[in-house]
Amino acid sequence: MIKPVYEDNHLLVVVKPQGKLTQSDETGDLSLQDECKQYIKEKYQKPGEVYLGLVHRLDRPVGGLVAFARTSKAASRLSEQLRVHHMEREYLAVVEGESLPAEGTLCDWLLQDEKTGLVRTVPAGTPGAKEARLRYERLGARDGTALVHLRLETGRKHQIRVQLSHLGHPILYDMRYGHGERGRDIALFGAVLRLTHPTRKEDMTFTARPENPAFRPYEKEITAFLASCQPRV
């Protein structure tokens, strides 16, 4: 069951559950995009194929806000916002260790292994490597973990997971780049999405609260953070 946060004739914003594909792949598993198409088809009794443009993705293990375009014009305009970094995606994560600085900017060069799909940090100038930048702020720390707010400045594959692991503070329960446990979801969630409406040109800010149990020790900090997320001006 999808969780619409906003919808109109041009835009659909939903919360992707952890463990669900954003878009179909070779596994054949039902994706979020497929579910949203079915939702629109049934709600509005649309015959034939439903158009729903994918603007951005979240890794399968990661939950959070995802925007879809309901028209090709909206898809083009939203994709351009993403390309020029006007669309802003912000995340909450629980990481291992309390000692990371209160705030900072991480700049690394990332390279993906084409055989395994794993991404690693490499020296600047390595052939095929791409620069990755993000800003973070520690919102709280206790019991050997910390709650971190993250702002992406680039959108590289597995960027947040790799950069935090390289910093020495892997995300809690990350199976690929940390110390994951089977049956435990990674503690990473796309909590804030800022964009400009593709036709009305209105700046919009959407927020969602993570339901992952790993975030429960930080309920007060998350409530305060979400309350502070004012519309972009």
Side-chain angles (χ1 to χ4, degrees):
M1 177 67 71
I2 70 166
K3 296 182 179 180
V5 175
Y6 176 88
E7 64 179 292
D8 62 20
N9 291 334
H10 303 276
L11 178 65
L12 176 65
V13 179
V14 301
V15 176
K16 184 183 91 66
Q18 294 193 255
K20 179 170 287 293
L21 291 167
T22 306
Q23 185 182 37
S24 297
D25 66 5
E26 65 279 359
T27 65
D29 294 343
L30 185 68
S31 70
L32 181 68
Q33 187 178 28
D34 293 331
E35 286 197 41
C36 288
K37 283 184 177 182
Q38 189 62 31
Y39 164 79
I40 291 171
K41 185 179 182 67
E42 294 176 358
K43 180 173 181 178
Y44 300 101
Q45 299 180 350
K46 287 186 170 291
E49 182 69 17
V50 172
Y51 177 86
L52 195 66
L54 180 65
V55 179
H56 64 104
R57 297 172 177 82
L58 290 176
D59 291 345
R60 183 168 190 165
V62 181
L65 291 160
V66 175
F68 291 99
R70 293 193 57 196
T71 65
S72 58
K73 178 187 291 186
S76 176
R77 291 177 177 176
L78 290 170
S79 295
E80 177 63 13
Q81 289 183 39
L82 186 67
R83 188 186 72 81
V84 300
H85 309 298
H86 184 72
M87 181 183 294
E88 299 174 8
R89 295 167 291 162
E90 302 177 27
Y91 296 78
L92 292 173
V94 179
V95 302
E96 297 179 17
E98 303 179 33
S99 62
L100 75 168
E103 60 182 21
T105 299
L106 303 183
C107 299
D108 297 291
W109 287 83
L110 306 184
L111 182 66
Q112 181 178 358
D113 186 312
E114 297 299 330
K115 292 182 179 180
T116 66
L118 290 173
V119 178
R120 69 182 191 277
T121 58
V122 295
T126 299
K130 296 180 179 179
E131 186 180 15
R133 301 185 309 276
L134 63 80
R135 290 175 288 159
Y136 75 86
E137 176 188 10
R138 191 184 67 227
L139 301 180
R142 60 174 61 90
D143 300 326
T145 67
L147 175 69
V148 183
H149 166 220
L150 303 131
R151 294 173 180 261
L152 286 175
E153 294 185 4
T154 57
R156 310 305 183 195
K157 183 175 181 179
H158 297 175
Q159 175 180 340
I160 294 174
R161 300 162 67 183
V162 176
Q163 289 195 273
L164 287 174
S165 181
H166 182 64
L167 183 65
H169 296 274
I171 299 173
L172 207 61
Y173 307 126
D174 187 345
M175 294 292 292
R176 285 199 168 199
Y177 304 102
H179 308 96
E181 297 179 14
R182 294 200 178 278
R184 303 291 294 269
D185 289 326
I186 185 174
L188 177 61
F189 185 80
V192 183
L193 177 64
R194 303 179 193 272
L195 54 81
T196 299
H197 192 278
T199 59
R200 299 202 308 269
K201 309 303 182 185
E202 171 190 350
D203 286 336
M204 310 180 80
T205 297
F206 304 100
T207 62
R209 177 183 290 272
E211 297 180 355
N212 185 329
F215 288 93
R216 287 177 187 163
Y218 295 102
E219 288 288 344
K220 290 183 179 179
E221 290 89 342
I222 292 171
T223 296
F225 166 72
L226 294 177
S228 73
C229 294
Q230 300 300 319
R232 184 170 59 189
V233 295

